[in-house]
Amino acid sequence: MTRSTSRRLRSWLSSTLHGEGRDGAHSRREQRKGWTVTIHDLSGFPVAAAAMVTPFVPSPGSWLILQATGAGPSSWKPWARLEAWRERGPVDALGYRLELVFDSGPHECAVPIAESSISTKRGGQFVIDPATFPEAAAGAAWPFAGGFVMGSTVEGEGRASRPTVQVGVQHVTCMGDVAVFVALSAAVDLCMDACKLFSQRLRKELCQDQDE
């Protein structure tokens, strides 16, 4: 893991897992940083999370997807990095790129596994599948054995979203495996709002503090 990623991870763990909230945002621009999603198992133990680790999107590594490998803050390990951006042209869309993150000695190794776009008006599907990823089809290193990995629904802008997540059974060995995919789908869903123009309002459930 790089030093910058380590600092961001420590900062997120300090503010989230120890219950220290951030100061309330004072503008729509500030509402779009510091979002986190934590997935708990049936006993209430946190097993996966997604954290926006850069102040604004788009920027490299906008989201960090984490998986808990044990108890305590030190057990959280980066699982993937999600980048998202707004594409403007004939079709207004949310572009995204997902990379799995591995520690390789003193350096971080990232393997791209998904890259595409979703219509901001109609929404669509976020998918991890070698059949839909050109680099996998070209013979690049593919970290998953056996076909379809996961998919989730994404609503268009301004719509209340309840993502439906599907995971290939061959990629599930424990609760944590499912949890990271759920955290990832939540991050993709939030990107639809995070990548909006700053002149546009966020969904009601994301700007309650501002309304108050």
Side-chain angles (χ1 to χ4, degrees):
M1 188 189 308
T2 62
R3 290 184 179 179
S4 61
T5 301
S6 298
R7 285 195 296 269
R8 292 196 298 268
L9 178 56
R10 285 196 299 270
S11 175
W12 178 83
L13 289 171
S14 176
S15 63
T16 303
L17 297 183
H18 294 294
E20 299 174 6
R22 298 193 179 200
D23 292 338
H26 299 293
S27 69
R28 292 176 192 170
R29 179 182 294 268
E30 292 179 344
Q31 288 276 352
R32 302 188 195 186
K33 61 181 178 179
W35 288 345
T36 60
V37 176
T38 306
I39 310 300
H40 298 78
D41 63 16
L42 295 177
S43 65
F45 186 81
V47 290
M52 188 185 288
V53 294
T54 55
F56 307 108
V57 290
S59 59
S62 302
W63 286 87
L64 194 62
I65 315 301
L66 302 126
Q67 186 172 29
T69 58
S74 62
S75 72
W76 288 87
K77 304 297 182 185
W79 179 78
R81 186 168 49 230
L82 173 68
E83 180 181 1
W85 59 91
R86 190 68 171 265
E87 294 183 341
R88 295 194 175 278
V91 178
D92 197 359
L94 176 77
Y96 64 82
R97 179 178 175 86
L98 179 70
E99 297 176 328
L100 281 188
V101 177
F102 302 94
D103 281 339
S104 179
H107 303 290
E108 179 185 89
C109 176
V111 177
I113 57 172
E115 184 171 4
S116 189
S117 62
I118 301 169
S119 168
T120 57
K121 182 178 181 180
R122 301 187 306 273
Q125 286 275 337
F126 170 83
V127 179
I128 304 175
D129 189 335
T132 63
F133 188 54
E135 292 186 36
W142 182 254
F144 298 101
F148 172 82
V149 179
M150 69 87 68
S152 65
T153 58
V154 183
E155 294 290 345
E157 274 189 351
R159 301 179 183 178
S161 186
R162 296 178 177 84
T164 299
V165 184
Q166 295 179 310
V167 182
V169 66
Q170 69 271 29
H171 304 298
V172 177
T173 59
C174 62
M175 175 73 72
D177 292 337
V178 177
V180 292
F181 290 123
V182 173
L184 172 60
S185 69
V188 175
D189 180 65
L190 283 170
C191 282
M192 191 65 77
D193 282 273
C195 292
K196 272 185 175 182
L197 296 175
F198 288 116
S199 60
Q200 296 178 322
R201 286 185 64 87
L202 301 177
R203 279 179 283 168
K204 183 178 180 180
E205 62 267 30
L206 298 179
C207 56
Q208 290 180 350
D209 292 340
Q210 180 178 319
D211 292 339
E212 293 172 358

